[in-house]
Amino acid sequence: MTSVPSDVDAQARRRAALTLGVSNGACYAALDQALAQAAVQGGTVVDLGCGRGGLWEVLGPRFDRYIGVDLVRHEGFPAALEWHQHDLQQPGVPVADASCDVAITCETIPCVENPRLLVRELARIVRPGGWVAVSCPNVEALFSLLMLAARRQHRKFQDEAADFMITPLLAVDLRRALEAAGMVDVRAYYTLLGKVPFLNRFYPRWLAARFPRALSDNFGMLARRPA
């Protein structure tokens, strides 16, 4: 059962419950690969919007310490891991300035009203020379653009998800937010997992690798805080 502090309002509780505290495994894998390609390993990882802590199952072999931060402590979050309660709609994440090696928010940024505030918090807590990673649904994917043309709504931001999927972001939006927060070496990565429009099947990985922006359902940005 999800643990909800008494000061969390009803709307926030509902939003947290709807997320289920998990992300697509392809998002975790793509992030892990992007970090590996940038030779990022060791030290402390802080995961804002950690949910059940599933990201640590992927990153754990290459890093030393994990800190999860979320509005509620979801069922299944490992008791042995450090966890802090915080509303990511607000500043003041309870992690010290420049105290971690990697600061991540995986598929959480579309659930907040002020994405730039969340990016600034990531930039604040990561040490000079450390890395920030942000991932979200790819509204520039072919399927999402077709849904936008047909229904005037992006695929992952339909009416049924409107209680928690509230802020669609283009790749340029995310890049600008990271650069405005002082990040450098900003680079995009893609999951290479994309659903074929209106069919219950996915593109072959080789094809998605050739057209990653068009054929990936999710993407992320990796960036470095200057030393």
Side-chain angles (χ1 to χ4, degrees):
M1 179 177 181
T2 298
S3 174
V4 184
S6 59
D7 60 344
V8 175
D9 65 33
Q11 182 178 9
R13 287 198 301 269
R14 183 170 59 253
R15 183 177 296 172
L18 288 169
T19 69
L20 303 177
V22 295
S23 296
N24 188 319
C27 298
Y28 296 154
L31 170 57
D32 185 49
Q33 183 176 24
L35 291 170
Q37 289 175 345
V40 181
Q41 64 179 38
T44 298
V45 174
V46 176
D47 183 6
L48 302 188
C50 62
R52 299 180 184 179
L55 181 59
W56 184 238
E57 296 178 11
V58 177
L59 299 185
R62 296 195 299 106
F63 293 92
D64 305 314
R65 182 186 177 200
Y66 174 90
I67 300 171
V69 179
D70 213 326
L71 179 67
V72 300
R73 185 169 186 132
H74 285 270
E75 180 182 7
F77 186 87
L81 296 180
E82 184 174 346
W83 181 86
H84 298 283
Q85 191 272 333
H86 183 73
D87 182 357
L88 297 177
Q89 304 275 15
Q90 305 298 325
V93 169
V95 177
D97 294 0
S99 63
C100 68
D101 299 278
V102 184
I104 295 168
T105 184
C106 187
E107 304 302 303
T108 297
I109 203 164
C111 302
V112 302
E113 296 174 355
N114 188 343
R116 288 203 171 198
L117 185 151
L118 183 53
V119 170
R120 287 195 296 271
E121 286 292 283
L122 292 165
R124 175 183 67 79
I125 65 176
V126 75
R127 65 169 177 79
W131 292 81
V132 163
V134 185
S135 70
C136 58
N138 179 18
V139 297
E140 297 174 82
L142 176 61
F143 199 172
S144 186
L145 293 175
L146 289 173
M147 294 289 282
L148 181 64
R151 299 185 183 179
R152 300 296 187 266
Q153 298 177 11
H154 285 292
R155 179 183 165 220
K156 297 290 184 71
F157 295 83
Q158 300 290 304
D159 287 338
E160 57 268 25
D163 282 345
F164 65 104
M165 296 294 283
I166 60 176
T167 309
L169 292 168
L170 301 170
V172 67
D173 297 326
L174 202 47
R175 178 180 293 275
R176 287 171 177 169
L178 287 161
E179 291 174 344
M183 298 294 101
V184 297
D185 294 342
V186 182
R187 60 193 73 178
Y189 65 89
Y190 293 86
T191 59
L192 308 185
L193 181 71
K195 194 171 184 181
V196 179
F198 315 114
L199 296 176
N200 190 28
R201 56 188 290 190
F202 294 90
Y203 295 106
R205 189 174 179 85
W206 66 266
L207 185 61
R210 188 167 183 179
F211 305 102
R213 177 173 293 191
L215 305 184
S216 297
D217 287 343
N218 300 77
F219 83 104
M221 292 278 182
L222 186 64
R224 181 177 58 84
R225 179 174 173 178

